[in-house]
Amino acid sequence: GAVVSQHPSWVICKSGTSVKIECRSLDFQATTMFWYRQFPKQSLMLMATSNEGSKATYEQGVEKDKFLINHASLTLSTLTVTSAHPEDSSFYICSARVQGASGYTFGSGTRLTVV
Amino acid sequence: KQEVTQIPAALSVPEGENLVLNCSFTDSAIYNLQWFRQDPGKGLTSLLLIQSSQREQTSGRLNASLDKSSGRSTLYIAASQPGDSATYLCAVGGYNNNDMRFGAGTRLTVKP
């Protein structure tokens, strides 16, 4: 089946640094990927929709200058958390919908801890 | 904006019980509905996917139903096992935004 590979699975960074998270569709082309954030004991909240070759669409309240999304190819989308702060510590997960099929495939998630 | 609600928020049952998890959504114009399982600190595992034109899907001990008109879905787990302990998430895929909206989840504990 369709697989989305997400890296890294966990990362610890210092406050003020930037962190890049990658999501790759391994056996299909993903024109659209979705980025979610999940705080402890809460559900997944959509942050932004990543479109190949165009600008991402951000949900209300999500700072586009802080969460940079790049979708330069049909198999790769990246989320960069810039100038990370402890409050950005969260679980970030991406998903993609396989063209011609239904349902969404999710990456394994990235646990970000900012110290 | 689609709102997805899951009840109960937490559930604890003895091993062997049959149980039902509930999901409701406010906008019936959905593309599909998907149930996921999430173990602590882990990603999502897709359990069942129901298309908007379908009423139910089954996989092993799991059965999911969909009543689009009333905005409800249920996940039925038969003969629960301790290994079923996890958080179960309901997510609704929408036509317009082509994304998924999640409920807050039901945290299930099955006691041996």
Side-chain angles (χ1 to χ4, degrees), chain A residues 55-56 58-59 61-69 80 82:
Chain A
K55 291 184 178 180
Y58 290 81
E59 294 295 301
V62 178
E63 301 173 59
K64 62 180 181 180
D65 294 330
K66 181 170 185 61
F67 299 99
L68 300 180
I69 290 174
T80 301
T82 63

Side-chain angles (χ1 to χ4, degrees), chain A residues 7-35:
Chain A
H7 294 281
S9 56
W10 61 270
V11 58
I12 301 174
C13 71
K14 290 186 177 180
S15 187
T17 61
S18 296
V19 174
K20 180 185 285 188
I21 302 169
E22 290 188 352
C23 271
R24 294 181 183 272
S25 55
L26 296 186
D27 47 5
F28 67 100
Q29 293 181 332
T31 56
T32 303
M33 282 195 179
F34 306 94
W35 288 93

Side-chain angles (χ1 to χ4, degrees), chain B residues 4-106:
Chain B
V4 182
T5 304
Q6 288 187 246
I7 295 173
L11 181 63
S12 180
V13 299
E15 182 177 5
E17 271 202 12
N18 302 324
L19 55 99
V20 175
L21 308 181
N22 297 291
C23 173
S24 62
F25 47 94
T26 55
D27 186 353
S28 61
I30 68 172
Y31 188 79
N32 54 31
L33 185 144
Q34 207 164 348
W35 283 92
F36 294 90
R37 168 185 173 142
Q38 185 177 32
D39 293 286
K42 304 290 186 181
L44 277 65
T45 300
S46 179
L47 298 173
L48 288 166
L49 167 68
I50 310 177
Q51 303 291 349
S52 62
S53 59
Q54 297 174 327
R55 293 194 65 84
E56 68 175 341
Q57 284 288 328
T58 298
S59 176
R61 294 182 293 107
L62 305 179
N63 175 277
S65 68
L66 173 64
D67 184 343
K68 216 171 55 164
S69 61
S70 66
R72 294 179 183 176
S73 175
T74 61
L75 178 66
Y76 175 83
I77 302 177
S80 58
Q81 303 171 358
D84 295 331
S85 298
T87 295
Y88 290 80
L89 297 168
C90 164
V92 176
Y95 272 106
N96 294 332
N97 295 328
N98 200 31
D99 61 33
M100 300 205 83
R101 302 287 168 165
F102 283 81
T106 293

